């Protein structure tokens, strides 16, 4: 889109109706014939071709010169835009996040990874697909959402990331928080989470969400589905996402609950599901909220966790992930990537990707075969001209 805009400025083509006002007069090196990249049939009618090599066979250098100059200028201008857009060194930021995760062996079980996953989760899990509100865009936890009970303790994670934000001021908090959660999963032995930038930080709390949109661990399966269905997840994705309980622990000064779910709370595995199925869980006798403990009294489960066993449609996924860690990793990566993109609008990838050399060559050969024999007003459906604004989008 940037390249097309640059070309229109230089060549004065591509108006709303698809025609230009002409690219010059016969008194200089420009042709008087109307040319339009957005209307390929006009382009062909006057003898111009899609590719410069074919154009040189059809028309004089005087006619093709302004086109080539315009395209060159457009590419140069677009390159400057792309360089500016790619200024952020995301590989460097990922490396810094990995260092932060292991920076304090005295914190909890020796890793900040679990609390960073929770930060990304809670920053994104407020989304409502009906009202199109909430989600990871905006970094709304900087405002009143940061004081909600469900977000207790996440100030630690946000403060932990402040040095990285100051070092890379061009990135948004919303991007940083979600990336930190994705990197944490991978750093603890879990799957790579597909992630892309593009989130923005809101300047005020006008788009803040009401309290109560995050899961309540004391509730039942009806509540679980209400929360996750509101965001657009299905039963399989619900179970996959709750598999993140493989890492981390609960704290009495945050959620009120206490203890880890697994025996290895800093290693991302499918152990949450195996322990959920195999251990014998009994209600813990203590002054805190209702929770369950195993026979060794070293691990715990929440009421919502046990609901996964009691619901047949959820249980089938517990069984699958307990038996197949690779399947769990695959489904978790897809679900978590979806989670951290809730509330963010991205352009279609087909409009961002330039054609490959192979696609350009194939389109060139096909063009030569058809247009050397006869003229046609049908535009191609892929390749060079589609990316520059002409033809039909696939």
């Amino acid at each position: 889109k940037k390249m097309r805009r640059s070309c229109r400025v230089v060549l004065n083509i591509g108006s709303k109706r698809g025609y230009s006002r002409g690219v010059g007069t016969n008194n200089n090196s420009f042709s008087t014939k109307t040319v339009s990249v957005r209307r390929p049939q006009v382009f062909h009618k006057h003898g111009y071709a899609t590719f410069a090599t074919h154009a040189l066979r059809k028309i004089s250098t005087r006619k093709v010169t302004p086109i080539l100059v315009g395209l060159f200028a457009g590419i140069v201008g677009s390159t400057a835009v792309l360089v500016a857009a790619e200024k952020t060194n995301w590989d460097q930021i990922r490396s810094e996040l990995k260092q932060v995760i292991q920076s304090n062996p005295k914190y909890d079980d020796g890793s900040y990874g679990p609390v960073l996953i929770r930060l990304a989760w809670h920053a994104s899990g407020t989304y409502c697909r009906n009202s199109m509100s909430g989600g990871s865009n905006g970094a709304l936890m900087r405002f009143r959402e940061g004081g909600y009970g469900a977000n207790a303790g996440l100030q630690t994670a946000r403060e932990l990331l402040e040095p990285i934000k100051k070092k890379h001021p061009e990135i948004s908090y919303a991007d940083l928080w979600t990336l930190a959660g994705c990197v944490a999963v991978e750093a603890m032995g879990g799957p790579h989470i597909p992630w892309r930038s593009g989130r923005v930080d809101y300047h005020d709390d006008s788009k803040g969400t009401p309290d109560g949109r995050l899961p309540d661990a004391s509730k039942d399966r009806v509540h679980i589905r209400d929360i996750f269905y509101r965001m657009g997840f299905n039963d399989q994705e619900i179970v996959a996402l709750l598999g993140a309980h493989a890492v981390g622990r609960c704290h009495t000064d945050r959620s009120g609950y206490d203890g880890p779910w697994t025996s290895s709370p800093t290693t991302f595995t499918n152990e949450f599901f195996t322990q959920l199925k195999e251990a014998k869980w009994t209600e813990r006798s203590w002054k805190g909220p209702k929770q369950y403990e195993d026979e060794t009294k070293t691990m715990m489960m929440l009421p919502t966790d046990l609901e996964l066993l009691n619901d047949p449609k959820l249980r089938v996924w517990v069984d699958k992930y307990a038996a197949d860690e690779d399947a769990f990793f695959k489904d978790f990566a897809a679900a978590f990537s979806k989670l951290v993109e809730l509330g963010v609008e991205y352009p279609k990838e087909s409009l961002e990707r330039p054609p490959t050399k192979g696609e350009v060559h194939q389109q060139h050969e096909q063009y030569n075969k058809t247009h050397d024999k006869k003229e046609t007003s049908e535009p191609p459906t892929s390749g060079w001209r589609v990316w520059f604004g002409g033809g039909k989008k696939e």
Side-chain angles (χ1 to χ4, degrees):
K1 293 171 72 174
K2 293 290 185 184
M3 296 182 84
R4 293 203 300 271
R5 187 176 299 115
S6 299
C7 290
R8 287 199 293 274
V9 171
V10 175
L11 293 179
N12 193 24
I13 61 178
S15 64
K16 291 182 178 180
R17 295 183 61 187
Y19 294 89
S20 73
R21 295 192 296 271
V23 291
T25 68
N26 280 333
N27 295 329
N28 51 36
S29 62
F30 294 87
S31 169
T32 58
K33 294 180 179 180
T34 301
V35 179
S36 173
V37 170
R38 290 198 177 276
R39 292 293 296 273
Q41 58 268 39
V42 177
F43 201 69
H44 296 158
K45 179 180 179 181
H46 294 292
Y48 295 94
T50 304
F51 298 90
T53 54
H54 189 71
L56 290 174
R57 299 201 306 268
K58 299 279 286 184
I59 61 177
S60 68
T61 306
R62 292 174 60 189
K63 291 181 179 180
V64 78
T65 298
I67 298 172
L68 296 178
V69 170
L71 291 177
F72 177 77
I75 291 171
V76 171
S78 300
T79 301
V81 173
L82 292 173
V83 169
E86 295 176 356
K87 179 181 178 182
T88 303
N89 188 339
W90 291 109
D91 289 338
Q92 175 63 28
I93 294 174
R94 283 177 176 271
S95 176
E96 293 172 11
L97 286 169
K98 290 178 181 179
Q99 294 175 15
V100 164
I101 289 170
Q102 305 297 335
S103 63
N104 185 2
K106 295 183 179 180
Y107 179 80
D108 269 3
D109 298 289
S111 173
Y112 284 115
V115 74
L116 291 177
I117 294 176
R118 182 168 169 249
L119 174 64
W121 209 118
H122 286 214
S124 309
T126 59
Y127 181 69
C128 175
R129 63 176 178 175
N130 293 327
S131 63
M132 302 292 287
S133 60
S136 63
N137 223 18
L140 289 167
M141 210 181 295
R142 294 172 298 137
F143 306 112
R144 58 188 165 98
E145 289 186 18
Y148 292 167
N151 293 327
L154 289 179
Q155 181 66 22
T156 298
R158 298 196 297 272
E159 291 177 352
L160 183 68
L161 299 178
E162 274 300 318
I164 297 179
K165 180 65 170 71
K166 291 180 179 178
K167 186 175 180 180
H168 306 275
E170 74 278 6
I171 66 177
S172 65
Y173 281 105
D175 271 345
L176 180 59
W177 293 352
T178 53
L179 178 60
C182 295
V183 171
V185 171
E186 188 173 357
M188 291 188 290
H192 172 75
I193 310 296
W195 180 92
R196 51 183 171 172
S197 61
R199 298 160 191 80
V200 298
D201 294 329
Y202 297 150
H203 298 297
D204 55 44
D205 198 29
S206 59
K207 295 184 179 180
T209 61
D211 197 359
R213 286 195 175 184
L214 293 170
D216 184 337
S218 67
K219 303 294 184 180
D220 59 12
R221 71 197 77 173
V222 175
H223 170 77
I224 295 173
R225 286 194 170 97
D226 286 344
I227 293 294
F228 284 88
Y229 285 5
R230 186 203 70 225
M231 292 186 278
F233 291 110
N234 58 33
D235 285 354
Q236 172 259 315
E237 292 169 318
I238 291 173
V239 178
L241 286 171
L242 290 179
H245 284 171
V247 295
R249 64 170 54 239
C250 290
H251 304 76
T252 55
D253 60 342
R254 299 178 186 179
S255 63
Y257 298 98
D258 177 56
W261 287 270
T262 68
S263 60
S264 53
T266 61
T267 304
F268 199 97
T269 65
N270 67 336
E271 187 184 349
F272 169 74
F273 299 111
T274 57
Q275 293 290 358
L276 185 60
K277 285 187 59 179
E278 297 171 4
K280 182 179 179 181
W281 300 99
T282 57
E283 186 174 344
R284 179 179 177 180
S285 178
W286 72 315
K287 295 181 179 180
K290 183 179 180 179
Q291 68 177 65
Y292 299 85
E293 61 184 4
D294 72 327
E295 294 174 316
T296 67
K297 301 184 184 300
T298 59
M299 295 182 290
M300 69 93 201
M301 287 287 168
L302 303 171
T304 47
D305 296 323
L306 292 187
E307 285 293 291
L308 301 183
L309 291 179
N310 299 328
D311 185 288
K313 293 183 178 179
L314 299 175
R315 173 65 183 260
V316 65
W317 295 107
V318 173
D319 293 339
K320 178 179 178 63
Y321 296 146
D324 190 342
E325 186 176 78
D326 289 340
F328 165 54
F329 276 21
K330 178 182 177 181
D331 290 348
F332 178 84
F336 199 77
S337 180
K338 176 180 175 179
L339 172 69
V340 297
E341 290 193 357
L342 293 178
V344 188
E345 293 185 6
Y346 289 103
K348 293 182 179 179
E349 292 181 359
S350 60
L351 298 180
E352 296 179 330
R353 183 184 67 84
T356 65
K357 292 182 179 179
E359 290 171 338
V360 171
H361 177 75
Q362 183 179 14
Q363 183 67 16
H364 188 182
E365 294 299 317
Q366 182 62 31
Y367 178 88
N368 287 340
K369 291 179 181 179
T370 57
H371 289 77
D372 282 346
K373 296 179 180 180
K374 61 178 181 178
E375 289 191 351
T376 177
S377 61
E378 278 295 317
T381 59
S382 64
W384 186 90
R385 283 190 295 133
V386 170
W387 200 54
F388 277 88
K392 300 177 181 178
K393 290 180 284 187
E394 292 180 323

